[in-house]
Amino acid sequence: MKVTNTGDETDTRTLTFDVGSIHRETEMRLSPGETDTWYLTVDSDPLSAGEYTQYFRTPSDTDDLPLTVKAGEPNFLVGNLRVEQNGETVSRIDKGESAEIKYALYNDGEGRDGQFANCYLASSHVGDQFIELEPSESETDLSCSFDTDDLSPGRYEYGVESDDDSWYKDLYIDKPPQPPTITSAYPSGDVKLNHETGDSETFSVDVSDPDSDYDAISTEWSVDGVGRGTADELTVSADDLSPGVHTVRATVDDNQAETESVSREWSVRVVVPPKIDGKAPQQPSVNVAPGESASFDVEVDDADTPDSNIDVWWEVDGDRSGSGQSFEIDRSALGSGKHTVSVTVSDGTSLTDNARAEWTIKGLSKPQIHSISPSRSSVAPGEPVSFSVDASDPNGKGIATVQWELADQQFSGTTVEHTFQQVGTVDVEVSVTNEAGITTTKSREVSIEATPPNVQGAGPTQSVVAVGESLQVSANATDPKGRSLSFDYRWELGTEEVSEQQSTTVSFDEVGQHKLTLTVTNSYGAKTTRMYTVRVRNDRPSVDRQQPTDKSISVLSQNPVRFAAQVTNLDTSTTTVAFQIGESTVETRNVDSDRQRVAFQHTFDTPGEKTVTLVARDQHGAENEVTWDVNIKSRPPRFVDTSPSQQRLSLMSGSTASFSVDARDPEQEGVTYQWSQNGSTVGTGPSLERTFDEAGTYNVTVEAADPRESASTRSWSVDVDSFSEPPTQSLHLTNIKIDPQSERTTKTFLTVSMENPSSNDRTVVVDFIIDTPDGLDVVRMRGVDAANKAQITGKGRIDPGSQRSMRVGLRIADESLIGSDVPIDVTIRYYPAGHPEDLTYIRQSNETISIRGPGFIEQLSSWFDGVLGGVFGSVTVPDA
């Protein structure tokens, strides 16, 4: 009940609450414009079921709310569960049969209701009914039908479930009688019997039956529907049957009325096939030479087929090529190798096998030349060349002779050797003849070409020399064909011959590039020429960086820097070394020795980018240099004053601290300031003022930077506390126990409290939060500001040296909790008055209520009421 003082005076008024026979009242003191809330809980036991009005009254105002008190709840129980088949209760049925689940429902509760009763079999829903019952009313003849087509034999649960109850029993589904099965048969396929030879065949089957003995199984045989008796097997002879197709049948029966017999049939063909009485040629193999042909003939007889119905056809390698009793094939129609000529005789029906004869015919071919070696088309004069041929006879007869013609000369044999002395082109021809006298000829053209020598290890030992410096040159020539030949060497500088030796020494008296030519000639006049370029240069000095060793360096302004290099000049002339910054020469020095270390020192006054160069130049005008890229950095600002002077501060939350600095730039380019707190930017300028709302440790840093981003920093560590001495908390929880002699369950009390030490100069604002567990009811409260079924909250202010508590009484609502431990969550949080942002969680815990019985002492509850009731504030409970 929320109440607001709309008047202009502070006063205390009486508030009342009425519903039915229940009356409650309290007093509330409010200032003008102030609002407060009255929380209360009302037990509905004095009220009967029906509609009521709740009245909330103050001396100056009235409000009301409707209230409905409901009657008791229904409770539908399942009974008399069974399975009936044809009006009889059964616990077993055969697979594939149908039955009914029969049951009764009884309302054991206090209210009228309607519920669905659901039937289940093997965890599957098989039906339902909606039933309405008054209290103590029952329905005894309820049922659901089901079938077992989709269930395998075995044990299953069936049952019925209402919203309040369920009942399950076992039902067995049996396997019905099984027919016999033919697991295998012999023969496995259809049968063909030759009438002329009196063929016969024996038929049998292998049988299995899961629920019959072997002696109870019988096999009855028939041929073309005529019974042949009962036996394990049946033998059928072609002598007993006429030519044509017949059916043999085996019928297996387990002699049970509930099962059917099974059967297996075979198709039996009784035939009189055609015959080949004679054929020509008689030998199985025939050879056909190129230009020749081969002829074939057969004589045919079929005792049960007219000649007009007999079909004779010929095939070559499986391809149909003719018909009739005679056939001729030419060699030109055959490829090389072996072929098959076959004849097939058929009487035009599917009841007989065809008669067949075949010959192997071989077409003779020319020998094959696969390759001629060597494969290259050119050779060198004076080089022995071995010629060979790779040939074969596809007829398998072998090669008889091999003939060669080389440069108008005749040779015999598979391999021949010849040496050509003259440069030019010749034809090489080879003829291969097989044992059948068939010849194949193949030719190729061969070029005899001069082969220049290979020149290795030739040329000068270096490509750049100084004026007057001697240069060693040499060459080594070989014949690429491996021939033993002599070589002539000729060295020329420009157009002037220098030497005819394999190795020689050359010197140059002019600066520039010169062409050196080498010509090597073999005894056949073949030449190889090599040209080399030699550059003659003046002897320039060298400069090697020594200090600093890196090309790119960074230095601070106004600091001296030393630059040094090693200068080398092998001339006898003096070398001048110039020290340059940018384009300006700052200083020069002379070097008279071959090698000397030269050093210069310089101070850069202003920041920026500079290039420093050491240039070495001899008296001939040759020069060399080394450079450094110098980055002159600005010197960072220097702090001349900081406040506070101490680096660590201690404050209370909500306090404000001031910081200030003064920094100077050595280059006098100006200083800017940036402030940060724990890494986040919070201000600029030489001073900063910060308020610290929450307890913790803070790092305050200022950065002083010049325009070139050279910076210095100063930092302070600020420790912020909420209180001088932290508040203390306590929690007390009793067990719930059950007295079997008492009609109601005794209570437990959960008490949480906090004390603000007197040493503090701040008031504490505290929140107590209890999450109510399921199965427990709240029956008493002290120091509570808000409550509902899920959570209870108490809030208050604690001055220094004072204490505040919240106490809650809990009672068992669900007796199934007896004997268990029930968890309950408790949270305590607080902050200094006026600083809600400085929130501290002092306790977040999961407590446990142990629910036990019997043997509980009744007076314990009263003792807690007497001892603890005086330390808490007035009880306030929320309305609905």
Side-chain angles (χ1 to χ4, degrees):
M1 178 176 175
K2 184 177 291 186
V3 180
T4 302
N5 184 354
T6 60
D8 53 6
E9 293 184 1
T10 300
D11 196 5
T12 301
R13 297 294 179 91
T14 299
L15 313 180
T16 62
F17 168 81
D18 294 278
V19 58
S21 61
I22 300 174
H23 174 79
R24 299 285 188 273
E25 65 180 41
T26 188
E27 290 186 349
M28 183 177 293
R29 182 176 180 84
L30 297 176
S31 302
E34 183 180 2
T35 299
D36 200 356
T37 302
W38 178 25
Y39 297 94
L40 70 160
T41 300
V42 177
D43 192 341
S44 63
D45 288 345
L47 304 178
S48 59
E51 302 294 332
Y52 296 85
T53 300
Q54 305 173 81
Y55 294 98
F56 303 86
R57 297 183 179 93
T58 69
S60 58
D61 194 11
T62 300
D63 198 359
D64 60 78
L65 290 173
L67 174 66
T68 300
V69 179
K70 295 183 178 181
E73 298 293 330
N75 184 29
F76 279 36
L77 302 180
V78 180
N80 197 19
L81 180 65
R82 63 198 183 279
V83 170
E84 286 191 3
Q85 188 179 44
N86 299 324
E88 294 184 1
T89 300
V90 296
S91 60
R92 312 182 76 96
I93 62 174
D94 287 340
K95 173 179 170 61
E97 294 181 344
S98 300
E100 290 182 308
I101 298 175
K102 306 285 283 186
Y103 62 97
L105 281 182
Y106 172 66
N107 185 354
D108 188 37
E110 298 177 356
R112 183 182 183 276
D113 194 12
Q115 295 186 11
F116 276 98
N118 294 280
C119 299
Y120 294 91
L121 174 61
S123 301
S124 297
H125 186 267
V126 296
D128 56 59
Q129 290 176 275
F130 185 79
I131 307 299
E132 292 185 347
L133 295 176
E134 298 289 345
S136 300
E137 184 184 2
S138 64
E139 185 72 44
T140 60
D141 190 18
L142 301 174
S143 65
C144 298
S145 299
F146 65 89
D147 60 58
T148 60
D149 293 337
D150 297 330
L151 297 177
S152 301
R155 181 176 66 85
Y156 297 90
E157 280 192 341
Y158 72 93
V160 176
E161 294 184 2
S162 69
D163 292 347
D164 306 312
D165 192 19
S166 63
W167 193 359
Y168 281 88
K169 289 186 176 182
D170 289 340
L171 175 66
Y172 292 87
I173 298 177
D174 297 328
K175 186 175 182 181
Q178 301 296 307
T181 302
I182 297 177
T183 57
S184 62
Y186 181 82
S188 59
D190 293 338
V191 177
K192 180 172 60 179
L193 300 178
N194 193 322
H195 191 278
E196 288 189 354
T197 58
D199 292 347
S200 64
E201 185 65 77
T202 298
F203 299 84
S204 63
V205 293
D206 291 330
V207 181
S208 67
D209 193 320
D211 54 8
S212 297
D213 294 335
Y214 178 78
D215 295 340
I217 298 174
S218 61
T219 304
E220 184 176 350
W221 298 89
S222 66
V223 178
D224 295 333
V226 179
R228 291 293 186 93
T230 300
D232 291 338
E233 60 183 27
L234 175 67
T235 300
V236 177
S237 175
D239 294 337
D240 300 331
L241 302 174
S242 61
V245 179
H246 303 270
T247 300
V248 175
R249 180 184 180 92
T251 302
V252 180
D253 197 340
D254 62 2
N255 298 304
Q256 295 188 67
E258 297 87 350
T259 61
E260 296 181 356
S261 60
V262 293
S263 62
R264 169 70 158 86
E265 290 186 350
W266 294 264
S267 179
V268 179
R269 294 190 301 166
V270 180
V271 298
V272 178
K275 294 186 296 182
I276 296 176
D277 287 340
K279 65 178 182 177
Q282 293 292 327
Q283 64 274 20
S285 298
V286 178
N287 291 331
V288 182
E292 297 180 356
S293 62
S295 298
F296 303 87
D297 296 282
V298 292
E299 295 181 3
V300 179
D301 177 51
D302 192 329
D304 59 353
T305 304
D307 292 342
S308 59
N309 291 342
I310 295 178
D311 186 15
V312 181
W313 68 88
W314 298 83
E315 294 178 346
V316 178
D317 294 333
D319 295 329
R320 194 157 184 162
S321 303
S323 61
Q325 295 183 229
S326 298
F327 176 70
E328 184 173 354
I329 186 170
D330 190 79
R331 171 65 182 86
S332 60
L334 300 172
S336 60
K338 294 182 179 181
H339 303 271
T340 299
V341 174
S342 63
V343 61
T344 303
V345 181
S346 173
D347 60 6
T349 70
S350 61
L351 302 179
T352 61
D353 291 334
N354 296 333
R356 179 181 172 85
E358 66 178 32
W359 295 262
T360 298
I361 183 171
K362 187 174 183 181
L364 300 179
S365 301
K366 291 183 178 181
Q368 296 177 348
I369 297 177
H370 304 292
S371 63
I372 300 176
S373 297
S375 58
R376 54 194 171 95
S377 59
S378 63
V379 298
E383 175 189 7
V385 182
S386 178
F387 292 92
S388 63
V389 62
D390 180 14
S392 63
D393 182 20
N395 306 303
K397 299 294 185 179
I399 301 299
T401 61
V402 178
Q403 294 293 325
W404 296 84
E405 184 174 343
L406 305 173
D408 299 327
Q409 298 184 45
Q410 305 295 324
F411 302 92
S412 298
T414 302
T415 301
V416 297
E417 186 176 282
H418 185 68
T419 301
F420 299 94
Q421 299 297 331
Q422 301 295 327
V423 175
T425 301
V426 298
D427 289 328
V428 175
E429 183 179 274
V430 61
S431 297
V432 179
T433 303
N434 62 12
E435 294 292 348
I438 303 173
T439 300
T440 298
T441 299
K442 196 172 186 178
S443 64
R444 58 180 296 183
E445 190 177 81
V446 177
S447 297
I448 297 90
E449 301 175 352
T451 303
N454 289 335
V455 178
Q456 301 172 342
T461 56
Q462 60 192 72
S463 60
V464 179
V465 296
V467 173
E469 182 181 357
S470 298
L471 179 66
Q472 182 73 30
V473 294
S474 64
N476 181 29
T478 60
D479 182 57
K481 300 297 183 180
R483 298 169 294 179
S484 178
L485 302 177
S486 61
F487 303 98
D488 293 331
Y489 298 86
R490 179 181 175 86
W491 297 90
E492 296 177 310
L493 186 59
T495 59
E496 180 182 353
E497 180 179 331
V498 176
S499 174
E500 293 185 350
Q501 301 298 318
Q502 185 174 354
S503 299
T504 188
T505 300
V506 182
S507 62
F508 303 88
D509 55 8
E510 293 183 5
V511 175
Q513 291 188 343
H514 299 266
K515 297 293 184 182
L516 182 64
T517 304
L518 167 66
T519 302
V520 180
T521 307
N522 67 12
S523 55
Y524 284 101
K527 298 180 179 181
T528 297
T529 300
R530 296 283 187 271
M531 296 187 69
Y532 310 95
T533 299
V534 179
R535 184 167 67 88
V536 181
R537 59 170 176 78
N538 185 24
D539 183 17
R540 55 184 288 193
S542 65
V543 185
D544 298 320
R545 183 186 298 107
Q546 288 193 336
Q547 182 184 359
T549 57
D550 294 333
K551 183 178 185 299
S552 298
I553 63 172
S554 295
V555 299
L556 289 176
S557 65
Q558 303 177 11
N559 282 353
V561 184
R562 186 178 182 84
F563 299 89
Q566 179 78 26
V567 178
T568 302
N569 184 17
L570 300 181
D571 291 345
T572 58
S573 60
T574 300
T575 302
T576 301
V577 181
F579 176 67
Q580 298 177 345
I581 298 178
E583 301 296 329
S584 301
T585 300
V586 178
E587 185 180 356
T588 60
R589 293 182 185 175
N590 291 331
V591 176
D592 295 323
S593 59
D594 291 346
R595 292 181 178 84
Q596 182 175 330
R597 188 175 188 268
V598 182
F600 299 90
Q601 184 169 298
H602 186 76
T603 300
F604 299 93
D605 294 329
T606 59
E609 301 286 339
K610 302 290 184 180
T611 299
V612 174
T613 307
L614 292 187
V615 182
R617 182 180 295 108
D618 65 12
Q619 293 180 344
H620 301 292
E623 66 179 32
N624 210 337
E625 66 181 31
V626 64
T627 63
W628 289 267
D629 296 326
V630 183
N631 177 19
I632 302 98
K633 293 186 176 180
S634 173
R635 301 177 71 186
R638 178 174 56 85
F639 287 99
V640 297
D641 186 27
T642 59
S643 177
S645 58
Q646 64 272 27
Q647 298 299 304
R648 193 172 192 93
L649 306 178
S650 295
L651 302 175
M652 299 300 290
S653 60
S655 300
T656 300
S658 297
F659 306 86
S660 64
V661 294
D662 183 15
R664 306 296 169 83
D665 180 27
E667 288 84 21
Q668 299 182 356
E669 295 181 328
V671 179
T672 59
Y673 303 91
Q674 180 170 289
W675 296 83
S676 63
Q677 179 175 303
N678 291 347
S680 300
T681 300
V682 295
T684 59
S687 62
L688 174 73
E689 187 172 277
R690 294 294 292 171
T691 299
F692 300 90
D693 293 325
E694 299 180 15
T697 299
Y698 300 86
N699 180 271
V700 178
T701 300
V702 62
E703 180 184 81
D706 64 13
R708 300 179 184 274
E709 299 183 353
S710 181
S712 299
T713 61
R714 286 293 184 271
S715 296
W716 293 264
S717 179
V718 182
D719 296 324
V720 180
D721 296 320
S722 301
F723 298 92
S724 300
E725 183 178 350
T728 59
Q729 56 83 32
S730 64
L731 183 146
H732 180 69
L733 175 68
T734 62
N735 294 338
I736 294 181
K737 297 189 178 181
I738 305 302
D739 185 352
Q741 303 301 322
S742 176
E743 293 183 355
R744 67 184 187 92
T745 304
T746 58
K747 300 181 291 293
T748 187
F749 292 94
L750 174 62
T751 304
V752 290
S753 62
M754 174 171 281
E755 180 181 356
N756 186 4
S758 59
S759 60
N760 287 332
D761 57 358
R762 286 184 161 187
T763 298
V764 176
V765 179
V766 64
D767 290 332
F768 301 122
I769 302 171
I770 299 175
D771 294 332
T772 308
D774 295 338
L776 298 181
D777 285 342
V778 178
V779 295
R780 283 194 180 184
M781 292 182 284
R782 297 287 190 274
V784 174
D785 290 285
N788 53 46
K789 288 186 176 181
Q791 194 174 78
I792 303 170
T793 303
K795 184 170 184 177
R797 299 167 61 91
I798 309 174
D799 294 329
S802 300
Q803 179 185 15
R804 185 177 179 88
S805 303
M806 183 177 75
R807 179 171 180 253
V808 175
L810 301 174
R811 183 175 62 190
I812 297 175
D814 183 358
E815 294 189 0
S816 64
L817 298 177
I818 297 173
S820 63
D821 293 336
V822 178
I824 182 169
D825 293 329
V826 178
T827 300
I828 303 175
R829 60 190 183 190
Y830 68 92
Y831 57 88
H835 300 281
E837 68 280 356
D838 190 13
L839 184 65
T840 301
Y841 283 85
I842 194 172
R843 184 183 184 96
Q844 287 180 291
S845 61
N846 183 274
E847 305 297 336
T848 300
I849 301 175
S850 298
I851 301 176
R852 301 290 182 267
F856 180 73
I857 301 175
E858 288 282 351
Q859 288 74 12
L860 184 60
S861 173
S862 299
W863 181 82
F864 272 114
D865 288 344
V867 173
L868 299 179
V871 298
F872 300 102
S874 60
V875 177
T876 56
V877 293
D879 57 16

